[in-house]
Amino acid sequence: MEVNEQLIRAITQAVVEQLHKNGAQPQTQAEMQQPSSTQELAGRTRMRPKHSYEGAARAAQGTDPKEIVIGVGAAFQTEINKTMGGIPLDEVLRNVKAGIEEEGMTSRVVKVLDTSDVCFMALQAAKLSGSGIGIGIQSKGTTVIHQKDLYPLSNLELFPQAPLMDLETYRKIGRNAARYVKGEKVTPIECTNDPMVRAKYQVKAALMHIVETEQLDPEKGMIEWEGR
């Protein structure tokens, strides 16, 4: 498919301006000039320096069989504050946790600093969870429900189209995760699907993933994170 370079430039400029407002910004005026491809953009855009988690507690292994661990991305609520669809991340967390609580389970939030892959984030959260069920949420909003004894890509439920997700969907994710813990029959959550979403949001998604990945700190691994 032939790429419309003018469209890419226009989208890129809008995205960079938005990320600039959210804290991710080019270092010089020269770097503000818009490149003609996502690859060039990734190479020329300088993001915010790595966030410091001095004194943060390493995430502990859970023992409560009713506990579900929510693993969030490295840029979650620090460098990135809204999903690709514009939903505040604090509201995302609030609704996921509310859904879990409505089913009688408890939740704990950790920040995953050694991977930006949402399936691995969710699996690590599940392994840390007292119940063996975990939820991974990238800062751009993509979400996975996972179980500790599954392979990384063999998750329980995947929600890849973050721009189409709303708060009710995140609440349902929390409910379903809790139902997996209780061993109940779970009906997968129906989500809106739009084949044009990937093309429409690919530049923004790429930039947000760059921000997330640049904030990784493998030495810290996972830390306790109550949300800001």
Side-chain angles (χ1 to χ4, degrees):
M1 181 184 295
E2 184 178 351
V3 177
N4 185 324
E5 295 293 346
Q6 289 184 338
L7 178 60
I8 290 292
R9 287 171 183 269
I11 294 173
T12 300
Q13 181 175 1
V15 171
V16 171
E17 288 175 355
Q18 184 60 46
L19 287 174
H20 177 74
K21 293 177 183 178
N22 290 342
Q25 52 190 332
Q27 194 171 31
T28 67
Q29 276 298 113
E31 290 172 325
M32 284 291 284
Q33 297 175 0
Q34 302 309 313
S36 61
S37 71
T38 303
Q39 288 79 10
E40 291 178 26
L41 180 67
R44 289 170 54 182
T45 302
R46 302 266 184 134
M47 303 303 175
R48 180 181 286 188
K50 189 175 291 186
H51 194 83
S52 173
Y53 296 102
E54 191 70 29
R58 185 173 290 273
Q61 177 63 52
T63 58
D64 184 352
K66 291 186 175 182
E67 176 192 68
I68 295 171
V69 171
I70 303 168
V72 300
F76 199 95
Q77 293 180 305
T78 50
E79 288 66 37
I80 297 175
N81 293 303
K82 294 182 179 180
T83 68
M84 273 199 295
I87 302 175
L89 292 178
D90 58 344
E91 286 296 304
V92 169
L93 263 188
R94 186 178 68 81
N95 278 271
V96 172
K97 293 169 76 173
I100 292 171
E101 292 168 5
E102 286 168 6
E103 293 292 328
M105 300 295 108
T106 63
S107 63
R108 176 165 56 105
V109 184
V110 303
K111 177 163 279 202
V112 182
L113 298 175
D114 56 4
T115 181
S116 56
D117 184 300
V118 68
C119 289
F120 283 87
M121 289 165 50
L123 180 57
Q124 290 184 200
K127 289 180 177 179
L128 205 62
S129 171
S131 68
I133 299 295
I135 300 171
I137 309 176
Q138 286 178 320
S139 297
K140 61 190 179 75
T142 305
T143 304
V144 167
I145 304 175
H146 225 309
Q147 184 172 303
K148 68 177 182 179
D149 55 357
L150 296 178
Y151 288 111
L153 300 182
S154 300
N155 51 73
L156 295 173
E157 292 188 59
L158 167 65
F159 307 88
Q161 294 198 325
L164 302 180
M165 294 171 67
D166 56 22
L167 289 176
E168 181 57 28
T169 300
Y170 286 109
R171 202 178 193 98
K172 289 178 180 178
I173 289 171
R175 290 186 197 130
N176 267 17
R179 288 168 184 165
Y180 284 116
V181 173
K182 294 191 289 184
E184 296 181 355
K185 182 178 179 181
V186 179
T187 302
I189 299 165
E190 292 186 6
C191 298
T192 304
N193 184 54
D194 182 352
M196 295 303 296
V197 162
R198 182 174 181 180
K200 182 178 179 181
Y201 286 90
Q202 65 179 11
V203 174
K204 186 172 184 178
L207 279 168
M208 295 180 84
H209 188 69
I210 290 167
V211 175
E212 189 107 282
T213 302
E214 286 191 343
Q215 292 299 316
L216 295 181
D217 192 344
E219 290 186 2
K220 286 191 168 54
M222 289 188 288
I223 61 172
E224 300 289 347
W225 185 258
E226 290 304 320
R228 302 296 191 262

mmCIF file of all heavy atoms in Angstrom, residues 49-86:
data_model
loop_
_atom_site.group_PDB
_atom_site.id
_atom_site.type_symbol
_atom_site.label_atom_id
_atom_site.label_comp_id
_atom_site.label_asym_id
_atom_site.label_seq_id
_atom_site.Cartn_x
_atom_site.Cartn_y
_atom_site.Cartn_z
ATOM 1 N N PRO A 49 13.730 12.141 30.021
ATOM 2 C CA PRO A 49 14.716 11.270 30.692
ATOM 3 C C PRO A 49 14.023 10.195 31.518
ATOM 4 O O PRO A 49 12.875 10.347 31.937
ATOM 5 C CB PRO A 49 15.473 12.256 31.603
ATOM 6 C CG PRO A 49 15.328 13.573 30.922
ATOM 7 C CD PRO A 49 13.947 13.565 30.314
ATOM 8 N N LYS A 50 14.742 9.115 31.748
ATOM 9 C CA LYS A 50 14.173 7.973 32.475
ATOM 10 C C LYS A 50 13.687 8.388 33.860
ATOM 11 O O LYS A 50 14.368 9.078 34.585
ATOM 12 C CB LYS A 50 15.210 6.861 32.598
ATOM 13 C CG LYS A 50 14.653 5.558 33.144
ATOM 14 C CD LYS A 50 15.688 4.460 33.122
ATOM 15 C CE LYS A 50 15.999 4.055 31.696
ATOM 16 N NZ LYS A 50 16.899 2.885 31.645
ATOM 17 N N HIS A 51 12.473 7.961 34.185
ATOM 18 C CA HIS A 51 11.865 8.306 35.474
ATOM 19 C C HIS A 51 12.625 7.625 36.615
ATOM 20 O O HIS A 51 13.061 6.484 36.484
ATOM 21 C CB HIS A 51 10.407 7.857 35.482
ATOM 22 C CG HIS A 51 9.609 8.435 36.593
ATOM 23 N ND1 HIS A 51 9.033 9.689 36.534
ATOM 24 C CD2 HIS A 51 9.280 7.941 37.809
ATOM 25 C CE1 HIS A 51 8.385 9.921 37.658
ATOM 26 N NE2 HIS A 51 8.515 8.877 38.444
ATOM 27 N N SER A 52 12.776 8.328 37.704
ATOM 28 C CA SER A 52 13.482 7.768 38.854
ATOM 29 C C SER A 52 12.493 7.134 39.833
ATOM 30 O O SER A 52 11.462 7.724 40.163
ATOM 31 C CB SER A 52 14.265 8.873 39.579
ATOM 32 O OG SER A 52 14.827 8.372 40.779
ATOM 33 N N TYR A 53 12.813 5.923 40.273
ATOM 34 C CA TYR A 53 11.991 5.242 41.263
ATOM 35 C C TYR A 53 12.825 4.969 42.510
ATOM 36 O O TYR A 53 12.747 3.893 43.110
ATOM 37 C CB TYR A 53 11.429 3.939 40.694
ATOM 38 C CG TYR A 53 10.482 4.164 39.542
ATOM 39 C CD1 TYR A 53 10.887 3.976 38.222
ATOM 40 C CD2 TYR A 53 9.175 4.600 39.765
ATOM 41 C CE1 TYR A 53 10.019 4.200 37.163
ATOM 42 C CE2 TYR A 53 8.300 4.828 38.720
ATOM 43 C CZ TYR A 53 8.730 4.628 37.423
ATOM 44 O OH TYR A 53 7.868 4.857 36.380
ATOM 45 N N GLU A 54 13.611 5.952 42.869
ATOM 46 C CA GLU A 54 14.480 5.840 44.043
ATOM 47 C C GLU A 54 13.646 5.511 45.278
ATOM 48 O O GLU A 54 12.676 6.197 45.611
ATOM 49 C CB GLU A 54 15.227 7.159 44.261
ATOM 50 C CG GLU A 54 16.342 7.075 45.284
ATOM 51 C CD GLU A 54 17.528 6.261 44.788
ATOM 52 O OE1 GLU A 54 17.756 6.225 43.573
ATOM 53 O OE2 GLU A 54 18.193 5.650 45.648
ATOM 54 N N GLY A 55 14.004 4.446 45.953
ATOM 55 C CA GLY A 55 13.304 4.069 47.177
ATOM 56 C C GLY A 55 12.044 3.259 46.963
ATOM 57 O O GLY A 55 11.387 2.867 47.933
ATOM 58 N N ALA A 56 11.684 3.008 45.699
ATOM 59 C CA ALA A 56 10.471 2.235 45.434
ATOM 60 C C ALA A 56 10.651 0.785 45.890
ATOM 61 O O ALA A 56 11.716 0.194 45.727
ATOM 62 C CB ALA A 56 10.143 2.264 43.937
ATOM 63 N N ALA A 57 9.605 0.220 46.452
ATOM 64 C CA ALA A 57 9.665 -1.158 46.946
ATOM 65 C C ALA A 57 9.507 -2.147 45.804
ATOM 66 O O ALA A 57 8.631 -1.989 44.946
ATOM 67 C CB ALA A 57 8.573 -1.380 47.986
ATOM 68 N N ARG A 58 10.371 -3.166 45.786
ATOM 69 C CA ARG A 58 10.236 -4.212 44.779
ATOM 70 C C ARG A 58 8.924 -4.966 45.027
ATOM 71 O O ARG A 58 8.548 -5.223 46.164
ATOM 72 C CB ARG A 58 11.422 -5.170 44.858
ATOM 73 C CG ARG A 58 11.437 -6.228 43.761
ATOM 74 C CD ARG A 58 12.711 -7.037 43.800
ATOM 75 N NE ARG A 58 13.852 -6.252 43.378
ATOM 76 C CZ ARG A 58 14.241 -6.116 42.101
ATOM 77 N NH1 ARG A 58 13.551 -6.706 41.155
ATOM 78 N NH2 ARG A 58 15.300 -5.402 41.799
ATOM 79 N N ALA A 59 8.226 -5.284 43.947
ATOM 80 C CA ALA A 59 6.941 -5.970 44.062
ATOM 81 C C ALA A 59 7.104 -7.320 44.749
ATOM 82 O O ALA A 59 7.983 -8.097 44.400
ATOM 83 C CB ALA A 59 6.327 -6.154 42.682
ATOM 84 N N ALA A 60 6.256 -7.570 45.715
ATOM 85 C CA ALA A 60 6.338 -8.804 46.504
ATOM 86 C C ALA A 60 5.445 -9.893 45.936
ATOM 87 O O ALA A 60 4.431 -9.618 45.280
ATOM 88 C CB ALA A 60 5.931 -8.511 47.948
ATOM 89 N N GLN A 61 5.816 -11.132 46.211
ATOM 90 C CA GLN A 61 4.992 -12.274 45.806
ATOM 91 C C GLN A 61 3.723 -12.304 46.655
ATOM 92 O O GLN A 61 3.779 -12.243 47.879
ATOM 93 C CB GLN A 61 5.777 -13.570 45.996
ATOM 94 C CG GLN A 61 5.001 -14.832 45.666
ATOM 95 C CD GLN A 61 4.596 -14.895 44.205
ATOM 96 O OE1 GLN A 61 5.436 -14.734 43.334
ATOM 97 N NE2 GLN A 61 3.312 -15.104 43.945
ATOM 98 N N GLY A 62 2.575 -12.377 46.011
ATOM 99 C CA GLY A 62 1.320 -12.397 46.739
ATOM 100 C C GLY A 62 0.981 -13.768 47.293
ATOM 101 O O GLY A 62 1.406 -14.793 46.745
ATOM 102 N N THR A 63 0.234 -13.798 48.377
ATOM 103 C CA THR A 63 -0.183 -15.058 48.999
ATOM 104 C C THR A 63 -1.702 -15.165 49.152
ATOM 105 O O THR A 63 -2.221 -16.256 49.405
ATOM 106 C CB THR A 63 0.459 -15.201 50.391
ATOM 107 O OG1 THR A 63 0.089 -14.074 51.204
ATOM 108 C CG2 THR A 63 1.977 -15.275 50.290
ATOM 109 N N ASP A 64 -2.415 -14.065 48.988
ATOM 110 C CA ASP A 64 -3.873 -14.057 49.136
ATOM 111 C C ASP A 64 -4.521 -14.702 47.907
ATOM 112 O O ASP A 64 -4.364 -14.204 46.790
ATOM 113 C CB ASP A 64 -4.363 -12.615 49.295
ATOM 114 C CG ASP A 64 -5.856 -12.516 49.540
ATOM 115 O OD1 ASP A 64 -6.554 -13.548 49.440
ATOM 116 O OD2 ASP A 64 -6.331 -11.400 49.822
ATOM 117 N N PRO A 65 -5.260 -15.795 48.068
ATOM 118 C CA PRO A 65 -5.877 -16.469 46.917
ATOM 119 C C PRO A 65 -6.956 -15.641 46.223
ATOM 120 O O PRO A 65 -7.412 -16.006 45.138
ATOM 121 C CB PRO A 65 -6.463 -17.743 47.526
ATOM 122 C CG PRO A 65 -6.655 -17.420 48.973
ATOM 123 C CD PRO A 65 -5.536 -16.504 49.330
ATOM 124 N N LYS A 66 -7.355 -14.544 46.846
ATOM 125 C CA LYS A 66 -8.348 -13.661 46.218
ATOM 126 C C LYS A 66 -7.697 -12.467 45.503
ATOM 127 O O LYS A 66 -8.393 -11.631 44.942
ATOM 128 C CB LYS A 66 -9.324 -13.127 47.275
ATOM 129 C CG LYS A 66 -10.250 -14.180 47.857
ATOM 130 C CD LYS A 66 -11.278 -13.532 48.781
ATOM 131 C CE LYS A 66 -12.295 -14.559 49.279
ATOM 132 N NZ LYS A 66 -13.329 -13.914 50.135
ATOM 133 N N GLU A 67 -6.379 -12.422 45.519
ATOM 134 C CA GLU A 67 -5.672 -11.261 44.958
ATOM 135 C C GLU A 67 -5.447 -11.382 43.449
ATOM 136 O O GLU A 67 -5.031 -12.415 42.946
ATOM 137 C CB GLU A 67 -4.316 -11.109 45.641
ATOM 138 C CG GLU A 67 -3.470 -9.990 45.055
ATOM 139 C CD GLU A 67 -2.028 -10.045 45.530
ATOM 140 O OE1 GLU A 67 -1.303 -10.997 45.151
ATOM 141 O OE2 GLU A 67 -1.638 -9.153 46.292
ATOM 142 N N ILE A 68 -5.719 -10.287 42.746
ATOM 143 C CA ILE A 68 -5.386 -10.156 41.326
ATOM 144 C C ILE A 68 -4.384 -9.019 41.199
ATOM 145 O O ILE A 68 -4.627 -7.912 41.693
ATOM 146 C CB ILE A 68 -6.631 -9.849 40.476
ATOM 147 C CG1 ILE A 68 -7.611 -11.023 40.520
ATOM 148 C CG2 ILE A 68 -6.247 -9.526 39.030
ATOM 149 C CD1 ILE A 68 -8.955 -10.723 39.899
ATOM 150 N N VAL A 69 -3.254 -9.276 40.565
ATOM 151 C CA VAL A 69 -2.247 -8.228 40.380
ATOM 152 C C VAL A 69 -2.439 -7.582 39.012
ATOM 153 O O VAL A 69 -2.587 -8.274 37.993
ATOM 154 C CB VAL A 69 -0.824 -8.797 40.504
ATOM 155 C CG1 VAL A 69 0.215 -7.749 40.095
ATOM 156 C CG2 VAL A 69 -0.560 -9.247 41.937
ATOM 157 N N ILE A 70 -2.449 -6.262 39.013
ATOM 158 C CA ILE A 70 -2.545 -5.484 37.782
ATOM 159 C C ILE A 70 -1.152 -4.930 37.483
ATOM 160 O O ILE A 70 -0.617 -4.131 38.255
ATOM 161 C CB ILE A 70 -3.544 -4.316 37.938
ATOM 162 C CG1 ILE A 70 -4.925 -4.841 38.355
ATOM 163 C CG2 ILE A 70 -3.634 -3.513 36.637
ATOM 164 C CD1 ILE A 70 -5.883 -3.752 38.813
ATOM 165 N N GLY A 71 -0.556 -5.368 36.382
ATOM 166 C CA GLY A 71 0.767 -4.892 35.994
ATOM 167 C C GLY A 71 0.632 -3.794 34.955
ATOM 168 O O GLY A 71 0.060 -4.014 33.876
ATOM 169 N N VAL A 72 1.135 -2.608 35.265
ATOM 170 C CA VAL A 72 1.017 -1.480 34.335
ATOM 171 C C VAL A 72 2.367 -1.173 33.697
ATOM 172 O O VAL A 72 3.419 -1.536 34.210
ATOM 173 C CB VAL A 72 0.445 -0.225 35.034
ATOM 174 C CG1 VAL A 72 -0.937 -0.518 35.595
ATOM 175 C CG2 VAL A 72 1.373 0.270 36.137
ATOM 176 N N GLY A 73 2.328 -0.465 32.574
ATOM 177 C CA GLY A 73 3.525 -0.175 31.807
ATOM 178 C C GLY A 73 4.469 0.808 32.470
ATOM 179 O O GLY A 73 4.106 1.536 33.401
ATOM 180 N N ALA A 74 5.692 0.852 31.953
ATOM 181 C CA ALA A 74 6.756 1.664 32.548
ATOM 182 C C ALA A 74 6.486 3.162 32.499
ATOM 183 O O ALA A 74 6.996 3.918 33.327
ATOM 184 C CB ALA A 74 8.082 1.344 31.853
ATOM 185 N N ALA A 75 5.691 3.608 31.541
ATOM 186 C CA ALA A 75 5.389 5.044 31.423
ATOM 187 C C ALA A 75 4.026 5.405 32.006
ATOM 188 O O ALA A 75 3.608 6.562 31.962
ATOM 189 C CB ALA A 75 5.451 5.466 29.953
ATOM 190 N N PHE A 76 3.349 4.421 32.577
ATOM 191 C CA PHE A 76 1.983 4.572 33.089
ATOM 192 C C PHE A 76 1.921 5.618 34.195
ATOM 193 O O PHE A 76 2.582 5.496 35.216
ATOM 194 C CB PHE A 76 1.515 3.220 33.622
ATOM 195 C CG PHE A 76 0.029 3.049 33.778
ATOM 196 C CD1 PHE A 76 -0.718 2.452 32.785
ATOM 197 C CD2 PHE A 76 -0.609 3.458 34.936
ATOM 198 C CE1 PHE A 76 -2.086 2.247 32.934
ATOM 199 C CE2 PHE A 76 -1.975 3.272 35.097
ATOM 200 C CZ PHE A 76 -2.720 2.669 34.093
ATOM 201 N N GLN A 77 1.119 6.667 33.977
ATOM 202 C CA GLN A 77 0.867 7.737 34.953
ATOM 203 C C GLN A 77 2.097 8.600 35.269
ATOM 204 O O GLN A 77 2.042 9.423 36.180
ATOM 205 C CB GLN A 77 0.288 7.179 36.254
ATOM 206 C CG GLN A 77 -1.116 6.602 36.084
ATOM 207 C CD GLN A 77 -1.672 6.066 37.378
ATOM 208 O OE1 GLN A 77 -1.054 5.225 38.016
ATOM 209 N NE2 GLN A 77 -2.854 6.530 37.771
ATOM 210 N N THR A 78 3.156 8.424 34.541
ATOM 211 C CA THR A 78 4.321 9.306 34.705
ATOM 212 C C THR A 78 4.531 10.067 33.401
ATOM 213 O O THR A 78 4.202 11.236 33.304
ATOM 214 C CB THR A 78 5.582 8.521 35.113
ATOM 215 O OG1 THR A 78 5.767 7.397 34.229
ATOM 216 C CG2 THR A 78 5.469 8.006 36.538
ATOM 217 N N GLU A 79 5.047 9.387 32.386
ATOM 218 C CA GLU A 79 5.235 10.021 31.088
ATOM 219 C C GLU A 79 3.962 10.035 30.245
ATOM 220 O O GLU A 79 3.791 10.882 29.380
ATOM 221 C CB GLU A 79 6.353 9.310 30.299
ATOM 222 C CG GLU A 79 7.750 9.554 30.822
ATOM 223 C CD GLU A 79 7.972 8.948 32.203
ATOM 224 O OE1 GLU A 79 7.444 7.844 32.470
ATOM 225 O OE2 GLU A 79 8.661 9.582 33.019
ATOM 226 N N ILE A 80 3.091 9.069 30.469
ATOM 227 C CA ILE A 80 1.825 8.986 29.731
ATOM 228 C C ILE A 80 0.674 8.953 30.726
ATOM 229 O O ILE A 80 0.689 8.163 31.672
ATOM 230 C CB ILE A 80 1.784 7.723 28.839
ATOM 231 C CG1 ILE A 80 2.897 7.793 27.776
ATOM 232 C CG2 ILE A 80 0.423 7.578 28.166
ATOM 233 C CD1 ILE A 80 3.013 6.548 26.920
ATOM 234 N N ASN A 81 -0.304 9.819 30.505
ATOM 235 C CA ASN A 81 -1.425 9.926 31.442
ATOM 236 C C ASN A 81 -2.778 9.544 30.854
ATOM 237 O O ASN A 81 -3.768 9.471 31.576
ATOM 238 C CB ASN A 81 -1.510 11.356 31.989
ATOM 239 C CG ASN A 81 -0.332 11.692 32.864
ATOM 240 O OD1 ASN A 81 -0.057 11.008 33.847
ATOM 241 N ND2 ASN A 81 0.408 12.743 32.518
ATOM 242 N N LYS A 82 -2.821 9.312 29.521
ATOM 243 C CA LYS A 82 -4.072 8.928 28.875
ATOM 244 C C LYS A 82 -3.820 7.807 27.872
ATOM 245 O O LYS A 82 -2.727 7.701 27.311
ATOM 246 C CB LYS A 82 -4.697 10.128 28.141
ATOM 247 C CG LYS A 82 -5.164 11.241 29.061
ATOM 248 C CD LYS A 82 -5.799 12.364 28.248
ATOM 249 C CE LYS A 82 -6.289 13.486 29.162
ATOM 250 N NZ LYS A 82 -6.905 14.602 28.382
ATOM 251 N N THR A 83 -4.834 6.987 27.647
ATOM 252 C CA THR A 83 -4.745 5.935 26.638
ATOM 253 C C THR A 83 -4.774 6.557 25.244
ATOM 254 O O THR A 83 -5.005 7.757 25.078
ATOM 255 C CB THR A 83 -5.923 4.950 26.752
ATOM 256 O OG1 THR A 83 -7.137 5.638 26.365
ATOM 257 C CG2 THR A 83 -6.067 4.429 28.159
ATOM 258 N N MET A 84 -4.588 5.715 24.230
ATOM 259 C CA MET A 84 -4.686 6.187 22.847
ATOM 260 C C MET A 84 -6.050 6.787 22.562
ATOM 261 O O MET A 84 -6.187 7.677 21.734
ATOM 262 C CB MET A 84 -4.423 5.039 21.866
ATOM 263 C CG MET A 84 -2.971 4.826 21.537
ATOM 264 S SD MET A 84 -2.761 3.871 20.017
ATOM 265 C CE MET A 84 -3.458 2.301 20.520
ATOM 266 N N GLY A 85 -7.069 6.282 23.250
ATOM 267 C CA GLY A 85 -8.419 6.791 23.060
ATOM 268 C C GLY A 85 -8.727 8.015 23.899
ATOM 269 O O GLY A 85 -9.854 8.523 23.868
ATOM 270 N N GLY A 86 -7.747 8.495 24.670
ATOM 271 C CA GLY A 86 -7.939 9.709 25.463
ATOM 272 C C GLY A 86 -8.518 9.500 26.842
ATOM 273 O O GLY A 86 -8.894 10.460 27.515
#
